[in-house]
Amino acid sequence: MKLWSSFLKEMKIAFRGFYIYIEFFIGILLLVILLTVVPENFSSTSEEYLYFDLPKEVKENYIEGIKEVDLDSKIEKVKVEIGDEEVNADLLETEGKEIYILNNEEEIKDIAEKEQKFGAVVNLKDDKLHYKYYIQGYEKEKLKNLYLIGHIEDSDILQESIEGQDVRALSINEEKLTDRENLIPTFLTFNGSLMGLFIIAAYVFLDKKEGVIKAYAVTASSVWQYLLSKAMVLLLVSIITSLIIVIPVMGLGPNYLLMILFLIATGLFSSSLGLLVAGFYDNIMQAFASIYLILIVLILPAISNMIPSWNPVWIKVFPTYHMIEAFKELILENGDTSYILLATGGFLIVSIILFALTNKKYKSTLSV
């Protein structure tokens, strides 16, 4: 009962301050970003800018070849911005590519220099098509070699080579998330865990400033009840704001019971870590560098989530990596329940250890 009354008291105090409203604001802001800024799937369409320095008949044949794979077999007249100017151009759209045909080589140079776009000039040399590329200079050697090979080898030979490559699927019938849905695990990790770490530390420093913690030395209340009641406030807010983010995007698909259990486990972990860090400092300015460093380190797995090609083995050491992976499984309709339960149990065990260390630290502080 003492814990419950302490929790209710902390809730009242929290709603009188402004830190708790930051949590709600961040949750709503992340939802707005997902629904209004992030598309369902990011476009993978690339842009190419070409100028044909060719005889009229050759140019028409070349364009006809492009029109065969064009989505509507039509040329669209458009305006293209180059610096502060607009120039006329013809647009052909193929699957995954927008091809802009410009009027002269000078415009190709300008589009490459001023807009950092890919440009090429096609002309005839010794009765063969010759390609001059305008690139940025930071392209890898492999890409440059690919441009060269594409025009040295016969296209039929290249096509035969591509079709002859052995392609093996690493997974079959795998359920995939849209680009919008794929951001949810990162947002949940940031909103529930990383923000909770900072905010609970801020609450403790506020109490230290007002002498609340020292008052526990002369009361019958236990330190662990005070610490746990703080964590419970953050847990409740974290669950509410996480559901605010997930439900409008995912509907009723995810397993919300497992999600709440996992949010409790990860919330206890981040709260205990925040409380432990706060125990070594007197105010938030002293602790700022440490908290900032911890947040930077813990957010690294989010980069791996957004850039799948960068996924080193050592990144799996970070707890937030497993938070993101578990949240992914949670929002999938047929997610890996065993992984979720294992991650939940792991975070609960680590949370208990951190909380015990935190309780010991605060007790020693009060006895000094």
Side-chain angles (χ1 to χ4, degrees), residues 19 194 197-206 208 273-296 361-362:
Y19 286 117
L194 302 185
L197 187 154
F198 171 78
I199 288 177
I200 200 166
Y203 274 132
V204 171
F205 289 130
L206 188 62
K208 283 186 176 183
L273 183 58
L275 289 168
L276 182 60
V277 172
F280 289 93
Y281 301 93
D282 294 326
N283 57 67
I284 196 166
M285 293 306 297
Q286 292 178 0
F288 184 80
S290 297
I291 293 174
Y292 185 74
L293 181 61
I294 291 171
L295 292 178
I296 291 297
K361 172 62 181 174
Y362 279 79

Side-chain angles (χ1 to χ4, degrees), residues 150-179:
H151 304 302
I152 293 173
E153 292 287 353
D154 186 271
S155 59
D156 292 334
I157 296 174
L158 288 173
Q159 185 67 27
E160 184 180 345
S161 177
I162 292 170
E163 292 176 352
Q165 290 181 358
D166 183 20
V167 179
R168 300 177 185 178
L170 296 176
S171 57
I172 300 172
N173 298 325
E174 183 184 41
E175 187 180 354
K176 293 183 178 180
L177 297 170
T178 65
D179 290 330

Side-chain angles (χ1 to χ4, degrees), residues 75 132 185:
I75 297 177
K132 184 194 292 185

